[in-house]
Amino acid sequence: MDNTDIADLKATHASLSAQISAAESQLAALKESLHATEKLMRSTNGPPDESSPQKWPLLEDEYKRYGRQMIVSQIGLQGQLKLRSSSVLLVGAGGLGCPAALYLAGAGVGTLGMVDGDRVEESNLHRQVLHRTRNVGKYKVDSAIQYLEELNPHPTYTAHREHLSPQNAPDIFAKYDVILDCTDNPATRYLISDTAVLLGKPVVSASALRTDGQLMVLNNPPSVPGDSTGGPCYRCVFPKPPPVDSVVSCADGGIVGPVVGTMGVLQALETIKVITKSPVQETQVSTTGDRPALHIFSAYNNPPLRTIRLRGRRADCAVCSSNATVTLHTLRSGSTDYVQFCGSANSPQLLSAQERISASDYKRISELKESCTVIDVRDQTQFGICKLENSINIPITQLMNETATNTDAVSHVRSLIFPDATRADEKAPIYFVCRLGNDSQLAVRKFKELGFDRNGERFVGDIRGGFKSWKAEVDPEWPEY
């Protein structure tokens, strides 16, 4: 096939892609018009005036749609009416928010709002079940609501195409009854919990990483700060945020789709329980099921679920105690700095420019067959996906743990790198590489502390930007995961 044929194929491909995009846009517009028309029809056939009282509290379609859950004793007709009159906000339209929204919409929650400023990426699709390949590049909230409207046209869906901040959180939260924390970073978790407590909203919070997940219902029942009968908040459970270097995202640590899906479904279930629960009378004693708890899910454990009972509100909590220092004013003014409280999430810059080389520079060195040692500090699973030729795999966790506990750390690490003892005293440089160029910097620091640079005689540094830069600068076909 010559260059002319290839050019023709590319032109045909571009033309077909443009036609498909135009057709999808037209289809989306038609669906939006259809949805608006259906809403207008429902409002026209909605509750009649006093001169023509409505015989049944739900529409005929709603009885058919929700009948299977209404005959469950814990729900019933009254529970369904509570769901229809409720409003729920999901902060995050990702791995947790998608399955939670799916089941809440299916259950008939009256108003569903979603807050997320991100757009759909291909790496989302294995677990974020509301998004489709054709929606890559689209706002997640728009992609999710498009699916939900097809599932159930009855609820009102509201898209908040923005990231949550201390300034916008109070105004957004004020419109909803229950808040779902479907995020993946500590700073936003504290912000969600604080805002919900100050506005009297219960929070259903979940998290998931690798094969494990956690679930809590916070500020339930919701009470004003200083009222000890209210449920604990996120600060009560975790008064201090975790160390910055211990926080691992799904992008770095990985996630199994059904794990985050399980936690999102459990969030939906807990939300339905919060909404449909009968109010507790003052004379009633709360049951075991009412008490705050942390549910821990481990997919590869047997049994996979266990529960830890939580204490009530902390007397010294910064937001829900009588001596609270976090208020709506401190939120809106910016004096409550969540990034500072939790620590910066920015990538570490531990090394100087002289201690780092670019991916393209390392490529030239490898082509010249210069003597060097390349150490890949990703875990063994990632190393098995793709690796540089002749690289050695020493996971960063193994490197840090063994040098911290081994009394003869230098000799032990030297044996890992140089099985052939005759090479140990060479001055050939040592390069570290990882996925994004963060862990490799930690490894360089540790190796220099152990004296492997021989007081500057041997170069010990990293490949700046890791394999992300390698793909961008050297090998476009390098697997991106």
Side-chain angles (χ1 to χ4, degrees):
M1 183 177 291
D2 58 26
N3 292 336
T4 303
D5 293 333
I6 294 174
D8 289 342
L9 284 174
K10 288 183 177 179
T12 302
H13 180 273
S15 175
L16 290 172
S17 297
Q19 291 178 55
I20 291 171
S21 179
E24 287 179 344
S25 298
Q26 185 179 11
L27 180 61
L30 289 171
K31 286 181 177 179
E32 188 173 344
S33 298
L34 176 62
H35 178 61
T37 303
E38 289 174 341
K39 279 202 166 185
L40 183 60
M41 292 172 61
R42 287 196 300 274
S43 64
T44 303
N45 297 325
D49 56 30
E50 295 180 358
S51 63
S52 178
Q54 185 176 349
K55 186 175 182 180
W56 306 110
L58 295 175
L59 300 175
E60 180 181 358
D61 174 61
E62 291 178 300
Y63 281 103
K64 293 179 180 178
R65 185 179 291 267
Y66 309 128
R68 296 297 186 273
Q69 73 182 23
M70 281 196 294
I71 61 177
V72 175
S73 61
Q74 287 88 343
I75 305 293
L77 174 61
Q78 293 306 311
Q80 192 61 51
L81 292 172
K82 288 179 181 179
L83 287 170
R84 188 172 72 164
S85 63
S86 68
S87 55
V88 175
L89 177 70
L90 298 97
V91 184
L96 293 167
C98 283
L102 188 66
Y103 278 95
L104 290 174
V109 167
T111 300
L112 271 179
M114 302 188 81
V115 183
D116 201 315
D118 290 341
R119 295 177 183 268
V120 180
E121 300 177 358
E122 286 184 341
S123 61
N124 303 147
L125 299 178
H126 89 284
R127 67 193 183 281
Q128 299 181 15
V129 293
L130 293 182
H131 308 312
R132 297 293 179 265
T133 301
R134 66 175 179 268
N135 285 343
V136 169
K138 194 172 186 176
Y139 275 110
K140 285 186 176 181
V141 290
D142 293 334
S143 171
I145 289 174
Q146 179 184 353
Y147 186 104
L148 296 174
E149 287 177 335
E150 294 178 5
L151 172 71
N152 188 356
H154 288 287
T156 298
Y157 301 101
T158 305
H160 301 274
R161 302 173 189 88
E162 56 190 316
H163 293 293
L164 198 70
S165 70
Q167 289 71 37
N168 65 20
D171 292 335
I172 295 175
F173 281 26
K175 306 169 187 175
Y176 298 92
D177 302 321
V178 183
I179 312 300
L180 270 68
D181 179 355
C182 305
T183 63
D184 62 357
N185 69 86
T188 308
R189 291 188 181 282
Y190 283 103
L191 168 60
I192 291 170
S193 176
D194 291 354
T195 308
V197 169
L198 296 172
L199 294 176
K201 318 285 185 180
V203 177
V204 183
S205 176
S207 62
L209 181 68
R210 299 188 180 101
T211 61
D212 302 317
Q214 295 183 354
L215 174 74
M216 297 180 290
V217 181
L218 303 168
N219 194 39
N220 184 46
S223 299
V224 296
D227 185 349
S228 60
T229 64
C233 70
Y234 195 78
R235 286 183 186 265
C236 294
V237 182
F238 302 109
K240 295 182 179 179
V244 177
D245 57 4
S246 71
V247 178
V248 180
S249 68
C250 291
D252 291 328
I255 181 69
V256 176
V259 172
V260 70
T262 297
M263 304 317 298
V265 170
L266 288 175
Q267 278 185 286
L269 176 59
E270 290 299 325
T271 303
I272 291 171
K273 288 165 61 179
V274 169
I275 293 171
T276 60
K277 184 177 183 295
S278 300
V280 178
Q281 304 297 325
E282 293 183 4
T283 55
Q284 290 181 297
V285 178
S286 62
T287 64
T288 301
D290 297 328
R291 297 169 189 165
L294 170 64
H295 305 287
I296 301 174
F297 175 79
S298 297
Y300 286 82
N301 282 2
N302 190 17
L305 274 169
R306 59 192 178 97
T307 298
I308 299 174
R309 294 296 172 190
L310 299 176
R311 296 177 180 177
R313 288 184 167 182
R314 294 174 62 95
D316 59 348
C317 179
V319 69
C320 68
S321 71
S322 56
N323 299 315
T325 56
V326 178
T327 66
L328 288 176
H329 174 72
T330 65
L331 284 183
R332 289 193 171 100
S333 66
S335 58
T336 301
D337 191 329
Y338 291 92
V339 174
Q340 181 181 21
F341 176 64
C342 295
S344 174
N346 293 331
S347 301
Q349 297 297 324
L350 304 178
L351 305 180
S352 66
Q354 291 71 33
E355 296 173 288
R356 318 189 76 183
I357 66 169
S358 68
S360 53
D361 283 342
Y362 175 75
K363 172 65 173 175
R364 284 191 288 270
I365 291 171
S366 64
E367 289 174 343
L368 293 173
K369 306 295 183 183
E370 293 184 8
S371 178
C372 64
T373 300
V374 185
I375 302 175
D376 188 327
V377 295
R378 296 174 299 160
D379 61 42
Q380 291 181 354
T381 303
Q382 295 186 55
F383 187 72
I385 295 174
C386 52
K387 58 190 175 184
L388 293 177
E389 187 178 359
N390 298 322
S391 59
I392 300 169
N393 182 218
I394 306 179
I396 187 67
T397 51
Q398 177 186 353
L399 176 62
M400 293 301 187
N401 291 339
E402 294 193 5
T403 55
T405 59
N406 196 301
T407 55
D408 191 7
V410 177
S411 297
H412 180 66
V413 173
R414 183 182 285 114
S415 67
L416 293 175
I417 304 170
F418 305 116
D420 180 0
T422 60
R423 291 190 57 204
D425 295 327
E426 293 181 0
K427 296 181 181 179
I430 299 175
Y431 301 106
F432 287 89
V433 67
C434 65
R435 187 180 176 198
L436 300 174
N438 299 331
D439 288 343
S440 58
Q441 295 185 67
L442 297 174
V444 170
R445 277 288 181 90
K446 174 58 67 174
F447 258 54
K448 289 193 171 184
E449 289 174 7
L450 297 175
F452 276 91
D453 64 336
R454 302 179 65 185
N455 295 320
E457 292 183 10
R458 185 207 302 266
F459 176 85
V460 177
D462 83 326
I463 299 175
R464 185 174 58 250
F467 289 116
K468 183 176 182 180
S469 294
W470 184 262
K471 180 179 179 66
E473 299 175 22
V474 178
D475 184 2
E477 296 182 357
W478 186 265
E480 183 175 3
Y481 58 91

